[in-house]
């Protein structure tokens, strides 16, 4: 007798409509995977939001701390220390807040309402009161209870009185308008053109002009866009050489029209970036015979990263993480038009074709010493690089004046009048 076609066969599939019993543990594992995927997606969203929000905030910090012009006033604010005593050739001061300059063994200018002076390098501290040598250079001496300002520029007030040499107020015709400058006459046809740093003033470069004047050089302390008394950059921001080099070009052109055949360029901090950009772009770069740079901002991105790493974030107590810094930098490029590659003068150093003296304070908290060291590595035959132990930003001169003077005199001797 034949078997029925509908009879069950051993090993065949279950009839249609019949559900096999679930395998134990499979459904909980599926739920766990789905929950894990959801958690990871949520975590990824949170991380992205944190980085975007943090990057947006720190991009704003880049704007306020590095891009917004805040030009130095003719005199600094009197908010660094309070006078607690005055004696023959000395002053006793108590810091207002954290003022490391007050106890630093460096030369500083000091100003108070009614007078200007200079602090010697000697420091004595007792019970929070700092005693330092004081030389009054202008006005009357300070009084007990007065607030004072300290300034690394050292030569404060009127440059004629501060330097004791002839100084002429001149106007350099800039590409956007007049640029007030100081001209110090000298001998010979090689002019020294000095450019101050970020939100600084012409007074900052008088320390160097004091030396080069004794060597006989005519000198020009220039201002540029966004300085006090000068016009603003159309962007509304500092551009770290991208646009400011045209103002330096105007100053060099002024020098050439007033007797110069060659120029020595001096750049401090952001002024170093302006010098580099001028040498990269200007048709007058061939007139430059020597370059002097102090803590030059030759890589804006490196400077921002360095300062971000030095910040202390709440809760974790460390600097801004590198990925968050990168996010902030990219957002700053979009929001404020920062061109990071254009402000990196170390990516291509072909702009440097003449000897350069580069000084840098070993304790610089604004521009990493590695920037100057890198320029030395890239152009070893042209760059003389000197570190000043213990010196802060733009304080090599202040920390060791005899050494700095000897270096500059030796470097400029081949082109001196």
């Amino acid at each position: 007798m034949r078997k029925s076609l509908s009879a069950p066969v051993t090993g065949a599939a279950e009839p249609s409509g019949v559900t096999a019993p679930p395998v134990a543990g499979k459904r909980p594992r599926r739920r766990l995977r789905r929950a894990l995927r959801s958690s990871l997606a949520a975590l990824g969203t949170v991380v992205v939001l944190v980085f975007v929000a943090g990057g947006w905030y720190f991009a704003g910090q880049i704007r306020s701390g590095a891009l917004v012009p805040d030009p130095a006033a003719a005199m600094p604010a009197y908010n660094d220390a309070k006078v607690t005593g005055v004696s023959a050739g000395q002053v006793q001061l108590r810091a207002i807040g954290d003022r490391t300059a007050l106890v630093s063994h460096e030369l500083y200018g000091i100003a108070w309402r009614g007078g200007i002076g200079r602090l010697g390098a000697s420091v004595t501290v007792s019970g929070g009161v700092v005693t330092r040598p004081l030389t009054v250079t202008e006005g009357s001496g300070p009084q007990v209870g007065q607030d004072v300002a300290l300034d690394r520029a050292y030569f404060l007030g009127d440059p004629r009185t501060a330097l004791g040499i002839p100084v002429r107020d001149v106007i350099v015709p800039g590409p956007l308008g007049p640029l007030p400058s100081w001209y110090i006459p000298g001998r010979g046809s090689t002019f020294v053109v000095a450019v101050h740093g970020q939100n600084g003033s012409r007074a900052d470069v008088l320390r160097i002009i004091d030396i080069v004047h004794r060597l006989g050089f005519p000198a020009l302390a220039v201002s540029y866009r966004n300085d006090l008394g000068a016009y603003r950059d159309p962007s509304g921001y500092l551009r770290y050489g991208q646009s400011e080099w045209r103002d330096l070009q105007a100053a060099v052109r002024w020098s050439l029209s007033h007797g110069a055949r060659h120029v020595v360029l001096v750049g401090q901090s952001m002024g170093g970036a302006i010098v580099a950009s001028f040498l990269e772009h200007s048709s007058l770069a061939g007139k430059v015979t020597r370059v002097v740079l102090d803590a030059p901002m030759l890589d804006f991105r490196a400077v921002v990263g360095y300062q971000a790493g030095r910040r202390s974030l709440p809760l974790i107590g460390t600097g801004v993480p590198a990925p968050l810094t990168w996010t902030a930098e990219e957002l700053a490029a979009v929001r404020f038009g920062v061109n990071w590659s254009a402000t990196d003068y170390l990516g291509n150093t072909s702009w440097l074709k003449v000897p350069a003296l580069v000084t840098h304070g070993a304790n610089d908290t604004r521009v990493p010493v590695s920037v100057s060291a890198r320029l030395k590595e890239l152009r070893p035959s042209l760059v003389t690089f000197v570190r000043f132990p213990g010196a802060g930003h733009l304080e090599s001169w202040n920390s060791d004046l005899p050494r700095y003077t000897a270096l500059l005199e030796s470097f400029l001797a081949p082109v001196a009048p």
Side-chain angles (χ1 to χ4, degrees), residues 22-354:
V23 178
K26 183 178 290 187
R27 187 169 294 170
R29 285 199 297 272
R30 288 174 180 167
R31 292 197 191 100
L32 181 61
R33 284 196 296 269
R34 284 197 296 268
L36 183 59
R37 283 196 296 267
S38 299
S39 298
L40 290 175
L43 179 61
T45 301
V46 170
V47 170
V48 169
L49 290 175
V50 167
F51 266 82
V52 170
W56 190 272
Y57 170 78
F58 283 113
Q61 295 289 293
I62 293 173
R63 176 186 180 275
S64 60
L67 298 177
V68 174
D70 184 20
M75 289 299 297
Y78 306 112
N79 59 4
D80 291 324
K82 185 178 291 292
V83 177
T84 62
V86 181
S87 55
Q90 290 187 325
V91 63
Q92 287 77 46
L93 302 165
R94 186 182 295 275
I96 300 174
D98 183 16
R99 294 288 186 263
T100 56
L102 190 60
V103 295
S104 173
H105 292 270
E106 297 182 356
L107 302 174
Y108 277 93
I110 181 172
W112 56 92
R113 285 183 174 82
I116 297 171
R118 298 168 187 168
L119 294 180
S122 174
V123 177
T124 304
V125 183
S126 177
V129 174
V130 179
T131 300
R132 300 190 62 160
L134 170 66
T135 302
V136 177
T137 59
E138 191 175 330
S140 57
Q143 302 297 313
V144 173
Q146 278 192 297
D147 292 341
V148 303
L150 305 182
D151 201 299
R152 67 185 175 213
Y154 191 72
F155 294 110
L156 302 178
D158 180 75
R160 299 161 188 80
T161 303
L163 295 178
I165 58 179
V167 178
R168 285 165 39 192
D169 292 299
V170 300
I171 297 295
V172 170
L176 300 179
L179 296 168
S181 302
W182 290 322
Y183 171 63
I184 296 86
R187 306 185 308 275
S189 59
T190 298
F191 282 34
V192 173
V193 180
V195 190
H196 66 77
Q198 174 194 2
N199 289 327
S201 75
R202 288 173 282 161
D204 290 329
V205 301
L206 293 181
R207 289 169 290 176
I208 293 176
I209 285 179
D210 182 53
I211 300 173
V212 301
H213 174 75
R214 291 198 299 268
L215 295 175
F217 289 98
L220 190 66
V222 302
S223 60
Y224 54 88
R225 62 191 66 195
N226 296 316
D227 277 0
L228 191 68
Y231 47 78
R232 290 296 184 99
D233 187 89
S235 69
Y237 296 126
L238 304 175
R239 286 304 183 193
Y240 294 83
Q242 281 184 267
S243 57
E244 296 91 347
W245 73 266
R246 299 181 185 278
D247 301 330
L248 176 54
Q249 179 175 256
V252 172
R253 185 175 288 115
W254 185 95
S255 301
L256 295 173
S257 67
H258 287 76
R261 295 181 60 189
H262 299 94
V263 295
V264 172
L265 294 184
V266 174
Q268 297 177 330
S269 192
M270 192 182 96
I274 297 172
V275 167
S277 189
F278 168 88
L279 293 173
E280 183 177 22
H281 298 292
S282 177
S283 61
L284 300 179
K287 298 295 183 180
V288 178
T289 185
R290 297 263 157 154
V291 172
V292 177
L293 303 175
D294 189 0
M297 284 189 177
L298 298 178
D299 185 349
F300 184 34
R301 192 165 209 154
V303 171
V304 169
Y306 176 65
Q307 294 186 20
R310 293 180 56 84
R311 296 185 63 146
S312 181
L313 291 179
L315 301 179
I316 61 176
T318 63
V320 182
L324 185 55
T325 301
W326 180 87
T327 303
E329 290 168 348
E330 294 305 303
L331 287 171
V334 175
R335 293 175 62 189
F336 314 123
V338 179
N339 188 334
W340 297 105
S341 62
T343 54
D344 176 10
Y345 302 99
L346 297 178
N348 180 356
T349 56
S350 60
W351 50 267
L352 185 60
K353 296 179 173 63
V354 297

Side-chain angles (χ1 to χ4, degrees), residues 104-107 121 361 388-392 395-404:
S104 173
H105 292 270
E106 297 182 356
L107 302 174
F388 279 74
E395 294 180 352
S396 296
W397 183 99
N398 306 70
S399 68
D400 194 339
L401 177 56
R403 184 187 183 204
Y404 189 94

